[in-house]
Amino acid sequence: MTRLRDLPDPGHLPALDQAYLSRQPALGLGPNDHPPRILLLYGSLRDRSFSRLAVEEAARLLRFMGCETRIFDPSDLPLTDQIDYDDHPAVHELREHAFWSEGMVWSSPERHGQISGIMKLQIDHLPLNMGGMRPTQGRTLAVMQVSGGSQSFNAVNTLRLLGRWLRMITIPNQSSVAKAFMEFDDDGRMKPSSYYDRIVDVMEELVRFTVLTRAHGGQLVDRYSERKASRVPIEAANDLSAIAIRSA
């Protein structure tokens, strides 16, 4: 059983003016030996979930720009600590997709001025450390929110905080869609608008940051305190700073 959602009409982008978006926005920023791998999470289980519809629009754009995408369905995810050691197939699968990914998109509705419980639940099931491996550290992150009322940034601000806590590289741009019920048509497709254009901006930036940093993710989050705790000293012969000093 897989909990990945199928993406309807993956190549249909009616709100996008393709003359203004490159299919290779990260060209020249880093090695492009394989498509960037992006995991997308959303925060509502309603049949007409606007956070999911926004994620689907994001996934179509990412595919247009050459990425491989996976959208996780959290509908049977248990509460944290509900099952001993979180030993549940949905938890295992979510973590496998996190390990697979090089970047993520988190999209949450705003409820009572905050992210939804479903959104937080998925993030809570992503540990900092798992068997000596880190499913989030060094990966890029784009954050989005949808609101039923006027535009707000409460949810994206919280998602940024959580991304920082999980040691992710959260990109500068973000998306906040106000009155989301007015921004999607009857088929669940986003109408042309400045809100849609912002999602395009965010996904374009995510692709660039992912390609730019993925080859260096380990080095970017390498920490003195962790090396010290693990008793892994710097080897002078491989320390670039030491080599530069000796050469000066």
Side-chain angles (χ1 to χ4, degrees):
M1 175 181 177
T2 179
R3 291 165 179 81
L4 295 180
R5 291 189 63 91
D6 291 329
L7 181 62
D9 297 321
H12 185 47
L13 297 163
L16 178 69
D17 189 335
Q18 297 186 17
Y20 298 99
L21 181 63
S22 171
R23 287 184 174 270
Q24 295 181 289
L27 189 64
L29 291 179
N32 195 25
D33 51 344
H34 66 274
R37 300 190 296 265
I38 308 297
L39 174 64
L40 299 97
L41 307 180
Y42 59 92
S44 169
L45 300 182
R46 294 190 304 169
D47 288 341
R48 188 170 168 82
S49 162
F50 295 114
S51 62
R52 191 196 75 241
L53 294 178
V55 145
E56 290 176 352
E57 294 293 350
R60 294 184 187 98
L61 291 164
L62 289 167
R63 290 192 180 193
F64 178 87
M65 291 181 278
C67 297
E68 186 177 352
T69 64
R70 295 181 181 180
I71 302 174
F72 181 75
D73 182 347
S75 56
D76 69 335
L77 201 62
L79 297 174
T80 52
D81 302 323
Q82 181 180 359
I83 299 172
D84 287 345
Y85 308 108
D86 291 328
D87 188 12
H88 186 279
V91 178
H92 296 322
E93 183 172 341
L94 173 61
R95 292 173 177 176
E96 288 171 3
H97 297 316
F99 279 121
W100 165 87
S101 72
E102 296 170 328
M104 295 190 194
V105 177
W106 294 350
S107 174
S108 178
E110 179 177 301
R111 290 184 177 167
H112 301 303
Q114 266 300 337
I115 66 173
S116 68
I118 292 295
M119 191 77 245
K120 182 61 160 58
L121 179 62
Q122 294 173 86
I123 296 169
D124 283 346
H125 277 301
L126 296 174
L128 272 175
N129 193 317
M130 185 176 173
M133 300 178 66
R134 301 183 184 275
T136 56
Q137 182 165 303
R139 288 162 175 78
T140 51
L141 172 65
V143 296
M144 306 196 301
Q145 75 170 73
V146 295
S147 303
S150 58
Q151 191 173 41
S152 166
F153 302 95
N154 293 319
V156 287
N157 287 339
T158 294
L159 292 174
R160 284 187 175 279
L161 186 155
L162 291 166
R164 184 172 72 245
W165 194 261
L166 290 175
R167 301 174 186 173
M168 303 182 77
I169 302 168
T170 308
I171 67 171
N173 214 339
Q174 62 189 23
S175 167
S176 174
V177 180
K179 296 183 179 178
F181 62 92
M182 299 177 61
E183 298 301 322
F184 293 84
D185 63 24
D186 292 340
D187 295 323
R189 298 307 306 268
M190 200 166 182
K191 303 172 186 177
S193 69
S194 61
Y195 292 132
Y196 179 83
D197 291 349
R198 174 57 67 90
I199 291 178
V200 179
D201 289 346
V202 173
M203 294 308 114
E204 183 180 47
E205 189 171 285
L206 177 64
V207 173
R208 287 174 175 155
F209 270 81
T210 301
V211 171
L212 181 66
T213 62
R214 64 181 177 179
H216 311 287
Q219 185 176 359
L220 289 172
V221 295
D222 185 29
R223 297 180 177 214
Y224 159 80
S225 59
E226 294 177 352
R227 294 193 302 272
K228 182 180 178 183
S230 302
R231 298 185 181 278
V232 180
I234 293 290
E235 295 183 17
N238 298 324
D239 183 8
L240 297 181
S241 61
I243 294 172
I245 291 170
R246 287 201 306 269
S247 301

